[in-house]
Amino acid sequence: MKATQRDFRQHAPRAARDARVFFFCGPDESGANAAAEALVALLEEPGERVELSGADLRSDPVRLADEARSNSLFGGSRHIWVRASGDEAHDAVKNLLDTYDAGEGQGACPVIVVATSASDKARTAKLLAKRGDGFVGMFYPADLRSVAHEVRRIGMGLGLNMADDLSERIARGAGLDQRLARSEVEKLALFRDASPQNPQTLTAANLDAVGASTEEDGFMPLVNAVLSGTGPALAEEFRRLREVSLNPVGLLLAFERRAAQLAQLAARLGPHGKLNQFIEEERAARRVFFGDAQDLKAQLAVWRGKPLDRLVRRLAETHRLLLGNSQAADTLLAQELAEIARNALRNKRKP
């Protein structure tokens, strides 16, 4: 069974009922994670979450099958959540499926794999796509309109109604990251004391009141300075990174979202497209926010082809590094961003 972000919600209830192994992938890491969380919420009894890394399973491919068939510590239901990169979990998933095919999967719990730097052409995806007990979800970067629509949908579910301009503002403030946008809407619903039984309407004043610190500590000025290779702004933004203590994981997610957006735009632009004209057409179609147009022009001039591929891989590796070294996350991220900024400056100088 396969789906993309366009038809995921249509197929998700059936997948939650029939499938046992799920593979979420694609350049939109945020969308893949959000969909995986939505899928877990649809499971009849998700129970306890057991988290594994792709690196763990690559070094011990039989562990996944053992974990899936073992009992919860407290005797209840459970599900396994695997955060992997590429095809790290391939051998482990194959062993698990071989166990099912041998008739030894009775009582095994659901397995959800969220794989960065992977697509529906990955070997792991091919193992699952044609199986009735497998599911593959492929997620491409969302545009402003679709994330704003999702913001309104989440708000309605929480009893929070909002106008289009406010939903777009929330989407932009979250860097088109659906997880951050959901968190923001939930915070706003609490602020307004909204619920399905007590619906409330969000106002611009509400958003100003709750989102003030987020705007002040926004991620995008640093993202733009680093990826654009904007020399004069870099020193100021790195100083702000130290002084304001921006959340390292949230900041990295903003970089991943922008890199995914650049990958999507670069694919549509092609190797011989006219960059300025292309971005203006995207802006006119509201697939690009007008305030981002100049930054995207500068960044696409730097990050295309092999440099962009290397950037996406480096950000994915940095994500894994931060998750494994949370205490040193600030320092590690600052080092990685400094190196990315140096690469951007070098690429700008190339003819």
Side-chain angles (χ1 to χ4, degrees), residues 90-111:
H90 172 270
D91 292 349
V93 170
K94 187 177 186 304
N95 284 337
L96 176 63
L97 296 177
D98 289 344
T99 299
Y100 293 166
D101 294 341
E104 299 175 6
Q106 186 68 29
C109 69
V111 174

Side-chain angles (χ1 to χ4, degrees), residues 59-350:
S59 62
D60 186 4
V62 302
R63 181 177 176 184
L64 183 61
D66 291 341
E67 288 283 357
R69 292 179 297 164
S70 64
N71 294 324
S72 167
L73 179 63
F74 301 104
S77 59
R78 65 209 302 256
H79 66 278
I80 295 175
W81 184 284
V82 179
R83 185 182 293 276
S85 177
D87 267 323
E88 283 181 327
H90 172 270
D91 292 349
V93 170
K94 187 177 186 304
N95 284 337
L96 176 63
L97 296 177
D98 289 344
T99 299
Y100 293 166
D101 294 341
E104 299 175 6
Q106 186 68 29
C109 69
V111 174
I112 296 93
V113 181
V114 181
T116 58
S117 304
S119 74
D120 55 354
K121 303 298 189 296
R123 292 186 303 148
T124 313
K126 291 178 180 178
L127 287 175
L128 297 166
K130 296 182 179 180
R131 294 180 62 104
D133 59 357
F135 175 84
V136 176
M138 176 70 176
F139 293 83
Y140 298 94
D143 57 26
L144 176 62
R145 184 181 302 174
S146 61
V147 177
H149 175 78
E150 180 67 8
V151 165
R152 289 193 300 275
R153 190 194 67 79
I154 294 169
M156 289 177 62
L158 297 172
L160 187 66
N161 302 314
M162 66 187 77
D164 290 351
D165 61 327
L166 294 182
S167 65
E168 289 191 2
R169 182 176 162 189
I170 293 170
R172 290 196 307 270
L176 303 185
D177 187 297
Q178 293 187 43
R179 288 170 296 182
L180 295 179
R182 172 178 286 276
S183 176
E184 185 71 5
V185 175
E186 290 172 347
K187 178 174 67 175
L188 289 163
L190 285 173
F191 179 75
R192 293 288 287 132
D193 195 25
S195 70
Q197 296 75 34
N198 181 40
Q200 300 291 327
T201 298
L202 182 70
T203 67
N206 299 152
L207 191 51
D208 289 339
V210 177
S213 61
T214 301
E215 267 187 37
E216 179 184 352
D217 301 341
F219 298 140
M220 293 314 296
L222 179 55
V223 171
N224 288 326
V226 170
L227 294 182
S228 301
T230 310
L234 280 171
E236 174 62 24
E237 287 302 322
F238 276 112
R239 180 193 63 77
R240 190 170 67 91
L241 174 62
R242 293 191 302 271
E243 292 184 356
V244 178
S245 299
L246 295 175
N247 179 280
V249 175
L251 177 58
L252 182 57
L253 286 172
F255 272 93
E256 290 175 327
R257 287 291 311 166
R258 176 51 60 89
Q261 184 182 18
L262 291 174
Q264 184 186 45
L265 291 171
R268 291 208 297 270
L269 172 63
H272 306 298
K274 297 180 179 179
L275 178 55
N276 289 345
Q277 178 183 337
F278 170 73
I279 290 297
E280 288 306 312
E281 291 171 351
E282 293 291 294
R283 182 193 60 76
R286 294 185 65 195
R287 288 188 291 267
V288 163
F289 175 53
F290 75 91
D292 293 337
Q294 293 304 316
D295 292 315
L296 289 170
K297 288 178 185 178
Q299 289 158 24
L300 277 172
V302 174
W303 303 103
R304 291 164 71 179
K306 290 183 179 179
L308 179 55
D309 291 340
R310 288 194 293 269
L311 173 66
V312 171
R313 289 197 299 271
R314 182 157 196 155
L315 290 172
E317 288 300 315
T318 302
H319 198 134
R320 294 178 54 195
L321 188 65
L322 295 192
L323 292 175
N325 299 272
S326 58
Q327 292 183 337
D330 290 339
T331 301
L332 292 171
L333 182 58
Q335 292 172 344
E336 288 297 315
L337 296 185
E339 184 59 33
I340 291 171
R342 281 193 288 269
N343 285 329
L345 288 166
R346 283 196 295 267
N347 290 340
K348 283 182 68 173
R349 297 191 189 105
K350 291 181 180 179

